[in-house]
Amino acid sequence: MIPISQVKFGPEEEELVLSTLRSGMVAQGPLVKQFEDMFAEKSGVKHAIAVNNGTTSLVACIQALRLNPGDEVITSPFTFIATLNAILEAGAVAVFADINEDDFNLDPKSVQSRITSRTKAIMPVHLYGQMADMESISKIANQHSLRVIEDSAQSHFASQKGNKAGSFDLGSFSFYATKNLTTGEGGIITTNDDEIAEQLRIMRNQGMKQRYQYVMAGHNYRMTDLQAALVIPQLTRYDNTVSARTKNADFYSQELAGIPGLVTPQVVPERTHVWHQYTLRITKESGITRQFLSEQLTDAGIGSGFYYPKLVFEYETYQNRPDVIISDCPVAEKVVTEVISIPVHPYVSSKDREHIVKTIKNALDVK
Ligand SMILES: *Cc1c(COP(=O)(O)O)cnc(C)c1O
C-alpha cells in the first residue's frame, strides 16, 4: 500500500530525542527556545511562540486580539474543522467568504463583501501547501483596520513574492503527525508584533509573567523539549523535503495534463507551493466520480483522501448557531464535491508515481 501520508524519522531525531530523555529536561526548556528561534528566522519574523497543537495555536491568536462578544472573524469554509472550532472556542462569530478555483483559498473580493462593522479579523487558510493571496488580503485588512491570522497549518514556509506564510500579522502552524513538519502534536505562532508575542508567552504559561506573578487568567499551552527535539532535525532538512514533494507533484502535473474532466493543481505566479497535498479535481466532464477514482486507487494499493468531504458549515452541529453565519459560497460548494488528494510525500518512489499515474489514466479510460 502507498499511504496518503507517511512519517519517518532519521538517526538525527533519534539522537536528539535520546539526549533529551537523558538530560531529564522533558518539559518546555532550551530546545523549545532553539526551535522557536530557528522557526522565526526561517519565517522572516521577530517572534515564534511554540504551543501544544495547531488548534490551540489558532485559539491563542484570537484570544490575543481581545475581541468582544459578537465580533466577527472572516474565514474559509473549505478547511479542516479546527479553523472553525478555534473561532468558536475563542468566543468569536464565524463568517465565511468564498474561495478561488485556482488556489482553493479565500477570494479577496468575497472577503471584502463580507466585512461589517463587527468584523475584527480575517483568517485565511493556506490550504494544501499554497498561500492565499495575502498581498490583496493584507491590503483589505489595512483599509478596514482588521487583524489577520493566517492558518498556515498546511503551508510551512510557503511564500508569496518572497514573503513567508505567517509573516503578515499573526501566523499559526501545526505539527500534527500528517503535516510537512511534525512533533506528533504541536503548533507555533509567528508574529512581528512585540506586544502580542509577549501576551502569547504569558498566556501559554498560566498567565505568569515572572515566577508566581500572574497578570492574566492564562492556560497551559506549552510545547515540550521532547517535541522540539523531534522537529529540529526535520527543520534543518526541510528544503530537501519540499524538493522531494515538488518532484512528485511536477511529475503528476506533467503526466496528467490535458485530460478532459481532470484538473491538476495550479501554482499561482509569484507563489511557492510546499505540496502538503497534491489535490486533483474530478469534474462532470470526466464521466466518472471521485468516489469511483478513489475505489480504483484503493484496489491498486494506493491511498487517497477527500480533503475535505464537506464545507465546515455543512455539518449539522454548526447549523442554527448564532455564532456561525452561513452564506452562499458557490465556488467552495462546487469544488468540495470534486477534490481528491493523492500521495505526494517524500517516500513516494518514482515507481510508485508511475503506478499512480497509470491507475488514474485507466480509471479515466485514457491511454
Ligand atoms: C491540522 C490543521 C489544523 C489544526 O492543527 P492541529 O495541530 O491538528 O490541532 C488547523 N487548520 C488546518 C487547516 C489544519 O490542516
Side-chain angles (χ1 to χ4, degrees):
M1 189 78 190
I2 308 165
I4 183 75
S5 95
Q6 192 163 10
V7 186
K8 287 189 191 181
F9 300 108
E12 297 89 355
E13 285 93 319
E14 286 182 10
E15 202 173 299
L16 198 55
V17 168
L18 191 59
S19 71
T20 307
L21 280 180
R22 286 177 175 156
S23 78
M25 183 65 242
V26 291
Q28 184 184 304
L31 287 184
V32 167
K33 173 79 172 77
Q34 186 188 335
F35 174 49
E36 289 175 337
D37 291 346
M38 290 169 76
F39 201 92
E41 192 190 338
K42 209 167 156 53
S43 300
V45 298
K46 278 167 79 178
H47 308 283
I49 301 99
V51 295
N52 54 354
N53 66 60
T55 307
T56 45
S57 156
L58 288 170
V59 172
C61 286
I62 305 169
Q63 287 172 331
L65 301 182
R66 300 178 182 282
L67 304 188
N68 294 310
D71 284 351
E72 296 173 359
V73 177
I74 300 174
T75 193
S76 169
F78 190 50
T79 181
F80 180 53
I81 205 71
T83 314
L84 172 55
N85 283 342
I87 294 172
L88 300 180
E89 187 182 338
V93 172
V95 172
F96 299 95
D98 207 355
I99 61 167
N100 282 318
E101 247 180 48
D102 60 351
D103 63 3
F104 301 106
N105 292 324
L106 274 184
D107 171 1
K109 280 201 275 319
S110 179
V111 170
Q112 179 96 46
S113 76
R114 301 297 202 264
I115 294 173
T116 70
S117 58
R118 316 189 86 165
T119 308
K120 286 291 146 54
I122 307 171
M123 193 186 277
V125 181
H126 305 328
L127 211 64
Y128 304 145
Q130 181 168 226
M131 283 169 68
D133 179 2
M134 284 308 299
E135 197 179 21
S136 305
I137 290 170
S138 282
K139 210 174 280 172
I140 294 168
N142 286 337
Q143 279 162 2
H144 296 268
S145 303
L146 307 176
R147 302 301 299 248
V148 179
I149 301 166
E150 299 171 66
D151 183 347
S152 313
Q154 303 187 5
S155 295
H156 313 76
F157 312 114
S159 65
Q160 180 182 25
K161 292 192 181 171
N163 295 309
K164 296 279 166 66
S167 69
F168 288 80
D169 188 4
L170 283 146
S172 169
F173 296 81
S174 164
F175 306 112
Y176 179 64
T178 57
K179 313 287 175 171
N180 281 18
L181 287 167
T182 182
T183 59
E185 299 277 6
I188 207 164
I189 299 158
T190 50
T191 188
N192 284 313
D193 186 324
D194 298 339
E195 203 181 304
I196 293 257
E198 155 109 347
Q199 290 296 306
L200 286 167
R201 290 209 169 88
I202 293 170
M203 187 196 294
R204 161 177 77 175
N205 193 24
Q206 305 289 6
M208 193 164 82
K209 193 165 180 181
Q210 257 145 39
R211 197 149 212 217
Y212 301 125
Q213 190 194 338
Y214 303 106
V215 296
M216 68 165 87
H219 309 264
N220 175 357
Y221 286 162
R222 296 183 303 261
M223 180 185 268
T224 70
D225 265 25
L226 274 174
Q227 291 163 292
L230 203 52
V231 74
I232 286 171
Q234 296 171 53
L235 192 55
T236 311
R237 287 198 302 267
Y238 189 70
D239 294 348
N240 292 338
T241 307
V242 172
S243 299
R245 288 176 177 273
T246 305
K247 212 164 159 186
N248 290 331
D250 287 350
F251 180 83
Y252 294 141
S253 292
Q254 195 171 348
E255 296 294 317
L256 297 173
I259 300 173
L262 183 72
V263 185
T264 55
Q266 288 181 47
V267 183
V268 177
E270 303 191 295
R271 283 182 232 177
T272 62
H273 204 308
V274 297
W275 297 110
H276 174 60
Q277 296 291 351
Y278 185 93
T279 303
L280 296 159
R281 285 170 49 210
I282 307 294
T283 68
K284 277 206 190 82
E285 210 193 333
S286 68
I288 65 165
T289 62
R290 67 172 173 177
Q291 188 59 42
F292 174 76
L293 176 58
S294 147
E295 285 159 13
Q296 297 293 107
L297 288 165
T298 306
D299 289 348
I302 302 158
S304 64
F306 302 155
Y307 306 118
Y308 293 91
K310 287 185 186 192
L311 300 180
V312 289
F313 61 58
E314 291 176 333
Y315 292 91
E316 205 188 327
T317 191
Y318 299 104
Q319 311 271 322
N320 306 312
R321 281 184 65 134
D323 52 359
V324 178
I325 307 210
I326 297 172
S327 52
D328 283 346
C329 296
V331 178
E333 280 156 29
K334 175 172 69 99
V335 163
V336 76
T337 65
E338 298 174 339
V339 289
I340 178 166
S341 303
I342 59 174
V344 74
H345 56 79
Y347 309 106
V348 174
S349 69
S350 55
K351 223 175 103 205
D352 293 339
R353 286 195 311 235
E354 278 166 29
H355 177 52
I356 291 169
V357 164
K358 205 171 283 171
T359 306
I360 293 172
K361 285 186 170 172
N362 273 340
L364 286 151
D365 235 347
V366 185
K367 294 285 155 320

